Amino acid sequence: MKVDYIIVGCGLAGVAFSEKLKAKNKSFVVFEDSSQQSSIVAGGLYNPVTLKRFTPVWKSEEQLQTALPVYNKLEKEYNVTLDYKIPVIRRFTSLEEQNNWFEASDKVGLKPFLNTTLIDNNNPKIDAQFKLGEVLSTGRLDTKLLVEKYRADLKTKNCLIEESFDYDALSIGHDCVIYKNINAKHIVFAEGFGLKQNPYFNNLPLGGTKGQLLTIHAPDLKLDYVLKSSVFVIPLGNHNYRVGSTYEQKDKTNTITSEARDMLLDKLKTFIKCDFEVLTQVAGVRPTVKDRKPLVGRHQTFKNMYIFNGLGSRGVMIAPYVANQLYNFIENNVAIDAEIDCSRFY
């Protein structure tokens, strides 16, 4: 089999790069062994503002302009709803936070996204005496459904190989890579935290942050927006809500823990004033980097080997933007933005 690309990994990064290749009529196969869960269990929010300190997300306008049309196209292609346009509302805990919000709203990169008209809390099941602030241009992507549909589509087109990638079976030629019976011009590793097992790129500083989330059933809550306080509360429909997330540095497994559940519930109960039932708990390890920027680019030695990783907790927004950067670098020799080029660590 001869193809233009081998892609290893079919989470948000693998989906975004596959979509770029499809748009450019490039042939490819994707390896996926379902060992990484972060794209599937993610809350799926896209939000151009870091709400802890009211700071802008890196290149948020460019990311949104690139990402949303990609997801809209896939919605039409699969005849499903993936992108839910829903406001993200920040709960203020003090007058000082209100003032910080107003100060931030005048900053470059934040002005288009922070509504300066504060919202009165009219929901008796929420404790928000210092009012609420609305972030604009936000939404939720159903990442689980997206990845499931995308993998199923690749499978029907014989483009998905559901097995673990055997690095020892890879041969690097001058102008190609050979993996078993596959001859490809390029190989792109989009493995998420699985990169730690990759002998070609495991020298890069990919940390990994475990996140755990709960799904609760709360008929009396009646939220029609995403509420951000000490945790996010994300409406899913049918009175169900996703609550998260934790940020754990030591544990790198997909195993749920009672400690994380208790921590999330303790935080939730500080501002939610109604009964609820916990339905599920999930965990995944986000691929994170110490400077909070992705790892994108070419291997130091092998010129037809590339990495697409380190999307962290903002994969929904940033993945299509990074896919464009990597594709234009490989095919058109356009330099990758220096802030995300993996060569910054070489």
Side-chain angles (χ1 to χ4, degrees):
M1 180 192 299
K2 282 195 173 185
V3 293
D4 294 314
Y5 286 83
I6 294 172
I7 303 171
V8 183
C10 195
L12 288 172
V15 167
F17 196 71
S18 297
E19 269 303 284
K20 188 65 182 179
L21 296 183
K22 281 167 57 179
K24 297 296 184 179
N25 295 314
K26 299 292 184 181
S27 58
F28 62 92
V29 292
V30 181
F31 283 82
E32 174 57 53
D33 64 3
S34 299
S35 62
Q36 303 304 310
Q37 298 295 312
S38 61
S39 291
I40 293 175
V41 306
L45 290 182
Y46 55 88
N47 165 23
V49 181
T50 301
L51 286 175
K52 189 173 183 180
R53 299 182 180 86
F54 307 145
T55 55
V57 171
W58 179 77
K59 292 190 180 293
S60 54
E61 289 191 69
E62 294 95 323
Q63 289 181 31
L64 287 171
Q65 289 168 4
T66 304
L68 298 187
V70 172
Y71 302 133
N72 181 252
K73 170 185 173 294
L74 290 171
E75 282 185 316
K76 294 177 180 176
E77 195 171 319
Y78 299 144
N79 193 28
V80 295
T81 300
L82 298 171
D83 183 4
Y84 294 85
K85 305 296 185 185
I86 185 169
V88 172
I89 304 295
R90 174 64 147 81
R91 170 182 174 264
F92 299 124
T93 58
S94 65
L95 292 174
E96 182 183 5
E97 279 195 345
Q98 284 186 12
N99 292 333
N100 292 341
W101 177 273
F102 285 120
E103 288 178 13
S105 67
D106 282 331
K107 293 180 181 177
V108 174
L110 287 176
K111 196 167 187 176
F113 301 122
L114 296 184
N115 189 341
T116 54
T117 302
L118 298 188
I119 301 170
D120 291 320
N121 173 43
N122 297 315
N123 189 330
K125 304 304 181 183
I126 298 171
D127 179 3
Q129 58 180 308
F130 292 101
K131 298 192 177 185
L132 307 162
E134 180 184 10
V135 186
L136 307 175
S137 300
T138 61
R140 176 180 72 87
L141 192 77
D142 190 334
T143 57
K144 184 174 186 291
L145 182 60
L146 167 65
V147 171
E148 287 175 351
K149 288 288 186 182
Y150 207 87
R151 291 178 184 176
D153 186 35
L154 291 179
K155 194 171 182 177
T156 62
K157 295 172 180 173
N158 296 316
C159 294
L160 183 68
I161 300 174
E162 295 177 285
E163 62 183 54
S164 297
F165 191 83
D166 181 3
Y167 304 104
D168 293 334
L170 183 64
S171 299
I172 313 297
H174 174 67
D175 57 357
C176 69
V177 295
I178 299 170
Y179 182 80
K180 299 181 179 178
N181 67 329
I182 304 170
N183 185 305
K185 294 178 183 176
H186 312 283
I187 185 167
V188 175
F189 290 104
E191 305 157 289
F193 188 66
L195 185 78
K196 301 301 287 185
Q197 312 304 319
N198 185 323
Y200 297 102
F201 287 105
N202 61 6
N203 61 318
L204 290 171
L206 188 79
T209 305
K210 181 174 180 176
Q212 299 193 51
L213 303 99
L214 304 176
T215 300
I216 66 169
H217 183 67
D220 296 331
L221 187 52
K222 294 180 172 57
L223 272 187
D224 59 359
Y225 54 82
V226 175
L227 180 60
K228 171 64 172 80
S229 186
S230 50
V231 289
F232 277 102
V233 182
I234 307 170
L236 302 176
N238 299 317
H239 305 299
N240 294 334
Y241 301 86
R242 182 65 57 85
V243 177
S245 172
T246 63
Y247 290 82
E248 304 163 46
Q249 302 297 331
K250 293 182 180 179
D251 183 0
K252 309 295 186 182
T253 71
N254 293 326
T255 304
I256 62 173
T257 65
S258 59
E259 291 83 2
R261 174 190 167 110
D262 292 344
M263 183 179 73
L264 291 171
L265 292 179
D266 287 346
K267 290 182 176 181
L268 181 65
K269 289 174 183 177
T270 62
F271 62 93
I272 296 296
K273 305 302 178 184
C274 65
D275 293 333
F276 57 84
E277 175 190 1
V278 177
L279 301 179
T280 63
Q281 181 177 351
V282 293
V285 182
R286 311 175 190 90
T288 54
V289 186
K290 59 184 180 181
D291 63 1
R292 301 188 179 186
K293 297 289 195 308
L295 294 170
V296 192
R298 177 182 280 146
H299 190 271
Q300 276 183 288
T301 304
F302 304 118
K303 302 309 178 186
N304 41 15
M305 181 182 290
Y306 303 87
I307 183 176
F308 184 162
N309 211 310
L311 303 186
S313 60
R314 298 190 178 273
V316 168
M317 272 183 62
I318 200 171
Y321 177 84
V322 173
N324 282 356
Q325 289 262 322
L326 182 58
Y327 180 85
N328 286 329
F329 174 67
I330 298 171
E331 296 289 343
N332 304 317
N333 202 30
V334 177
I336 295 172
D337 191 303
E339 290 183 87
I340 63 174
D341 194 325
C342 63
S343 65
R344 69 190 187 276
F345 294 114
Y346 289 159

